[in-house]
Amino acid sequence: MERKNYYRKRDAAKRLPNKFLSLILDGMDQSKTNLPHLTGPQAKAMNPADLLQTHITGVISHGHGRLMTFVDICQYKHDSNLTINILLKTLYQITQLKGNKLPPVLYLQADNCWRENKNKFVLGFCELLVRLKVFEEVQLSFLYVGHTHEDIDAAFHQIADTLRTTDAEILPQLLALLPHVQEVGGLLDVRSWLEPVLNNPQHHTKPLHYIFTHNHEGNVVVYYKGNHDMPRKQLGLPFLSKIPQGRPNVLQADFEKVQVEKIERSSSHWKTLLSGNDIMPWWKNFLARLKNISSSEQAITQYSQRGARWILPLLPRQQEHVEEQTENMGQPIPADLQLMLNQELENPEVHIKAKRQENCAGKRKAIENAAVLNPVKRRTIQKRKTSDQKPK
């Protein structure tokens, strides 16, 4: 049922691309794109732990029949910052395809993973897109945990099939095999920018659908549904207490997971398997550059700032209010099956608490309460209190 709902949204974007934009965003299995990537018997002689890990995020725009790929070398955390930055880069690409225009309704399908997608930061950013009238309505949906997304997974399978018969010994060769590819870099710390204006949601990881739209007064309202056939419920408060001001800071890259020294040591084992005379010099230059970048905070900052651009102000705004667009969702599912689905989702209730502004005394009290279970912190606080009580 959830999959059919996804198909209907996807088909609506294909039929009416000026009204609906349907995107699906997901990450590819990292083990298939470690570098150097070799085919044939020699690949078995290589230990995957000794290779450069790369990560591919794919986004399909259904109305354009376009797969966009974004490649990183794990120099950024795979969290909501990566998701939001890639979504922004995708929307900017689409505005270039559509003459600096975006349709009023965005259907966004994402993996049911709290770390990257199903969290208050991504939900708050979807709300922000509506508040700023980038879209009149955003619908963010997830499939049940463990369910696959056919079209994005099929696209990843095509990439994997190509790699089964094609070597990619260096990063440029891998990039050449991917459609509409961008190297990930110049990211912004959208999480920290949103944090001060985010309210405090509870149980927000349970529903499969969120709808961000305007009511008749023009105010942004948020609805959610446990699954598609459940009645939608309105949140008492939105995710954002207000629109954040200014712009996010540049997100610092972190090369801890790249393990340059380990790749250098292991290269002595796999360098004889490489094909051309120019391949190993590329690796030496590449690894030397990564060592130089990760050697100092200044070098990391310069690397992180390269290509950084705050895309949100560049996106076009909707000119007129558009009434909520709905699609015919087909026949209702059998009652017994609906009951099972409702029980699986525990009929979720999402609550939003207004963000509290704590004073210094409140923060100190919170620290003391948190230290109750920590003997070391408890003794430190007791000593501090005793010292404060001594006559001077």
Side-chain angles (χ1 to χ4, degrees), residues 15-226:
R15 294 196 314 271
L16 301 169
N18 292 328
K19 290 186 178 180
F20 304 102
L21 173 62
S22 174
L23 302 176
I24 182 169
L25 184 151
D26 203 359
M28 184 175 174
D29 181 3
Q30 289 182 223
S31 64
K32 294 180 172 62
T33 57
N34 292 333
L35 296 177
H37 169 80
L38 300 176
T39 58
Q42 65 267 36
K44 298 180 180 179
M46 304 174 71
N47 183 357
D50 296 335
L51 306 180
L52 175 70
Q53 293 186 0
T54 68
H55 177 257
I56 299 174
T57 302
V59 183
I60 295 178
S61 175
H62 298 113
H64 304 91
R66 186 182 184 95
L67 170 65
M68 291 158 275
T69 51
F70 301 84
V71 180
D72 65 83
I73 58 172
C74 301
Q75 78 274 41
Y76 294 102
K77 290 182 180 179
H78 295 160
D79 60 7
S80 52
N81 259 332
L82 182 64
T83 298
I84 293 171
N85 275 272
I86 286 179
L87 176 59
L88 279 171
K89 292 175 184 293
T90 299
L91 293 177
Y92 186 72
Q93 281 194 45
I94 291 173
T95 62
Q96 305 306 298
L97 294 174
K98 296 182 69 68
N100 200 38
K101 293 181 180 179
L102 287 171
V105 179
L106 170 63
Y107 295 142
L108 179 61
Q109 188 84 17
D111 189 43
N112 201 340
C113 170
W114 64 267
R115 182 186 63 200
E116 298 175 7
N117 306 315
K118 206 173 190 181
N119 53 67
K120 64 179 182 179
F121 300 102
V122 172
L123 291 164
F125 187 74
C126 288
E127 181 182 317
L128 183 62
L129 291 175
V130 176
R131 282 180 177 253
L132 295 178
K133 286 192 172 292
V134 176
F135 295 99
E136 289 290 342
E137 180 173 306
V138 173
Q139 294 192 21
L140 175 62
S141 299
F142 310 89
L143 292 182
Y144 294 104
V145 174
H147 287 229
T148 59
H149 303 92
E150 286 185 0
D151 49 3
I152 191 72
D153 287 334
F156 289 151
H157 282 311
Q158 289 181 354
I159 295 172
D161 287 342
T162 300
L163 289 170
R164 270 191 278 272
T165 58
T166 307
D167 290 344
E169 298 178 333
I170 57 178
L171 185 57
Q173 291 178 352
L174 175 64
L175 298 177
L177 297 175
L178 302 175
H180 306 292
V181 63
Q182 287 188 39
E183 288 189 69
V184 172
L187 303 189
L188 297 177
D189 189 3
V190 184
R191 284 170 57 105
S192 298
W193 182 64
L194 290 174
E195 180 68 57
V197 300
L198 279 169
N199 290 318
N200 300 309
Q202 296 178 329
H203 313 300
H204 55 287
T205 61
K206 293 183 179 181
L208 296 181
H209 302 277
Y210 283 92
I211 303 168
F212 306 85
T213 188
H214 294 95
N215 59 19
H216 293 295
E217 289 76 34
N219 299 317
V220 173
V221 291
V222 183
Y223 300 95
Y224 66 94
K225 298 196 288 186

Side-chain angles (χ1 to χ4, degrees), residues 364-382:
R364 182 171 180 177
K365 186 65 177 177
I367 292 172
E368 292 179 5
N369 292 338
V372 170
L373 299 179
N374 189 319
V376 176
K377 290 184 178 180
R378 186 166 63 243
R379 286 195 295 270
T380 301
I381 291 174
Q382 288 172 348

